[in-house]
Amino acid sequence: MSTSAARSADDSTHQSEVARPSCSKRDPEILRERLERWLSAQLPVGTAAEVTHVHLPDANGMSSETILFDAVWSGERYPLVARVAPADSTMPVFPRYDLDNQFQVMTQVREHSSVPVPVVYWSETNPEPLGAPFFVMARVSGQVPPDVMPYNFGSWVTEATDAQRALLQHTSVEVLAKLHDIDRPWDRFDFLRLPDAGPTAAESLAAHIRQQREYYEWTTLSGPRSPLIERSFAWLEENRPDDSSPAVFCWGDARIGNIMYEDFRPVAVLDWEMATLGPRELDLGWMAYLHRFFEDIAEVAGLGGLPDFLRVDDIAATYEELTGHAPRNLEYYTVYAALRQATIMLRIQTRAIHFGQAVAPEDPDDMIMHRASLEAMLDGTYGEKLR
């Protein structure tokens, strides 16, 4: 499951005036000392490391924690990022945070594709140095489409020309094309295989849905059940496509808010928590829906948004042009994306209620911000908004 999807859902919840749940706070000086001591132990014997400028972004605490810092050794300065698993006391959004898995994914993607992934240096599975497992990667400079306020409310994306946004859209879809083109994904990413999954798109999708249902059941251990989510699962089973094509490597959290851009071209692709093996359309549907999620918020707010950006048909046409593969069943995969987002939001609102920063509604489906959109999808009345 995704930290960034959680962040996106939480930020959008924040827009509707539901305060964020409490999160952990770390002392930057203590972190500096611990990072310096740990880093010195990773370097060759006799190499001293100095850590400075430790900074924790304001968005920390919802899922994986991000620590920005600079390090100097052997006369060279390195801008770095540590991604740290969340503490149990924060009531995490997801049941597991396998940061070493993310480290391995990023390593393989850098090695076997031209997708711009930051250099990853170390993975630390021992929780002792920082209180939880973490990995360290290079810090990259660039512009990220913001979640707060959502980029389609008014940002460098809305201020761009039509041609610049078209370039951003094309190069973002190109990232997916390059990832899906990584050869031998079933072997290279064998650690991403889900239980009882097979190597075809249909088999991997079935396993993915099973995993998603397990996540939903986990959320209900501390929160309510959702009739809408359960109706969505039933719809997915009734309409599940039979696709015998090979499963590909999927980014999983394929959205422009997880990409850094320079001159409207990707310079860093981030957030690999949801990486998986599955149908190509898993990524395409997620990219289209996560933009539509923000468009629905803009519509409620009375804003113009970016209705002609990242539309399903345009994404599909660009993808086919780049790969020769004509995407299929994208309506199905956008419904699946909306279901996944709904489950994340249910958990986030459960956390807000737990921390006393929200009141439980009589109808648990009201905890899902995009309830009306998901209902329209299931009723078959939402398609034109996507296309």
Side-chain angles (χ1 to χ4, degrees), residues 91-130:
M91 196 177 176
V93 175
F94 304 114
R96 293 175 297 278
Y97 291 83
D98 191 341
L99 296 184
D100 187 62
N101 203 35
Q102 295 173 46
F103 179 90
Q104 299 302 329
V105 165
M106 294 173 72
T107 300
Q108 291 281 2
V109 172
R110 277 187 58 84
E111 181 177 351
H112 299 293
S113 80
S114 61
V115 172
V117 176
V119 175
V120 284
Y121 289 103
W122 299 280
S123 174
E124 179 56 75
T125 58
N126 183 353
E128 184 175 349
L130 296 183

Side-chain angles (χ1 to χ4, degrees), residues 4 7 144 251 253-260 268-271:
S4 59
R7 183 175 65 242
V144 178
W251 177 9
D253 203 358
R255 67 187 192 93
I256 64 171
N258 286 337
I259 301 177
M260 281 188 171
V269 179
L270 309 170
D271 289 319

Side-chain angles (χ1 to χ4, degrees), residues 35-70:
L35 281 167
E36 191 169 274
R37 183 164 56 249
W38 173 84
L39 180 56
S40 295
Q42 311 311 306
L43 299 173
V45 175
T47 303
E50 180 185 8
V51 171
T52 61
H53 301 100
V54 174
H55 173 66
L56 284 75
D58 291 339
N60 267 342
M62 176 53 64
S63 46
S64 295
E65 190 170 23
T66 300
I67 303 171
L68 310 180
F69 64 101
D70 292 341

